[in-house]
Amino acid sequence: MTGYAPAEAARRSGFSLDTLRYYEKIGLLADVERTAGGQRVFTDDDLGWLVLFRCLRDTGMPIAQMRRYAQLAREGEHTVDERRELLRRHAEQVEEQMRLLQRQYDHLREKIRFYERLPTAEQPTAEQPTAGQPAATALSGG
Amino acid sequence: MTGYAPAEAARRSGFSLDTLRYYEKIGLLADVERTAGGQRVFTDDDLGWLVLFRCLRDTGMPIAQMRRYAQLAREGEHTVDERRELLRRHAEQVEEQMRLLQRQYDHLREKIRFYERLPTAEQPTAEQPTAGQPAATALSGG
DNA sequence: CCTTGACCTGGAGCGCACTCCAGATTGGAG
DNA sequence: CTCCAATCTGGAGTGCGCTCCAGGTCAAGG
């Protein structure tokens, strides 16, 4: 309950063993406890951090910034304001990212609809340009 | 109207000059027209492709796959089915990507709400674990 | 003409985030 | 005690997508 072997930590976090070691090596994950023989024992606390890192990584935060956050957390409670602001700024970037992704997804869907209107392989080069798309796009990418 | 200098193409597409040259070099963008002296002249058609590449790139398609798509388009109308399928599969991946991003964004917002409930730097280590978050997360990342 | 800023080429280098490797050690099952 | 799968370390290598550079060439304004 209180300690996980590396393989188990990897399984639970979804990170590879190498990545776990790498995260510790670069000081993202704080020094992990060891057995007498030197093998890692991950705690629930470590696992909690890994869940957070996954969240931040999946939303595109660079490792350097995650490390900054982790560093702040280790410094103590007087850094909560800075940590909160760091997360807020990141959340804003994620929002922007989501808007862009949605826009480009819509664009992509329109492209697909263009293909779906084709009678499945016909017509040499006579299409009306889709609204907002240059004729070239319909021609080349169509 | 029909021809753009490299700098203009870069401005309009949002790609750097180096990236435009790179895309041509690796065969993503078809050979661009040249002046007698060898300088590139981008057409509206090229620009259309660049818009598409931006869409695909922004949605996370690897260059190899974009190149495959471009290759198919160059091969002619008999590849429309394969192109459509390629885009559809990609769109599905984008949907998955959007779902993941949304999930992790929600997670992030919850983390931020945790910070917002703190009276701005107080309390040693006595919090109730947020639902679904291991106590460790609230502790370490909180 | 002449200048000068934009452009050319081939190829090296970079930043990120891992991933892999060799060779040694550990530790639980039998 | 033996075995062997899991783990350890330091460091090299990988893949992606550019980005930069040196050393020349081109072309439009004055």
Side-chain angles (χ1 to χ4, degrees), chain B residues 28 56-57 59-68 90 93:
Chain B
L28 179 54
L56 297 177
R57 192 193 78 163
T59 51
M61 183 184 284
I63 281 186
Q65 205 171 340
M66 289 198 245
R67 199 165 52 185
R68 168 113 183 94
H90 178 59
Q93 287 175 22

Side-chain angles (χ1 to χ4, degrees), chain B residues 12 17 20 24 28 33 47 49 54 64 83 91 95-96 101 104 111-112 115 118 123 128 130 142:
Chain B
R12 290 190 181 230
L17 285 171
L20 293 182
E24 186 181 357
L28 179 54
E33 286 179 33
L47 265 290
W49 274 101
R54 173 153 293 286
R83 277 181 272 161
E95 285 156 25
E96 182 53 39
L101 192 55
Q104 298 293 38
K111 193 90 188 168
I112 291 170
Y115 274 109
L118 290 180
Q123 284 170 323
Q128 71 298 354
T130 312

Side-chain angles (χ1 to χ4, degrees), chain B residues 16-74:
Chain B
S16 75
L17 285 171
D18 270 317
T19 298
L20 293 182
R21 285 194 274 258
Y22 169 69
Y23 280 1
E24 186 181 357
K25 179 153 58 176
I26 64 171
L28 179 54
L29 198 57
D31 288 349
V32 174
E33 286 179 33
R34 305 301 183 107
T35 63
Q39 310 214 183
R40 288 179 182 77
V41 179
F42 291 83
T43 63
D44 279 316
D45 188 74
D46 294 326
L47 265 290
W49 274 101
L50 291 173
V51 167
L52 176 62
F53 293 151
R54 173 153 293 286
C55 166
L56 297 177
R57 192 193 78 163
D58 286 351
T59 51
M61 183 184 284
I63 281 186
Q65 205 171 340
M66 289 198 245
R67 199 165 52 185
R68 168 113 183 94
Y69 179 88
Q71 182 57 45
L72 285 171
R74 268 175 238 134

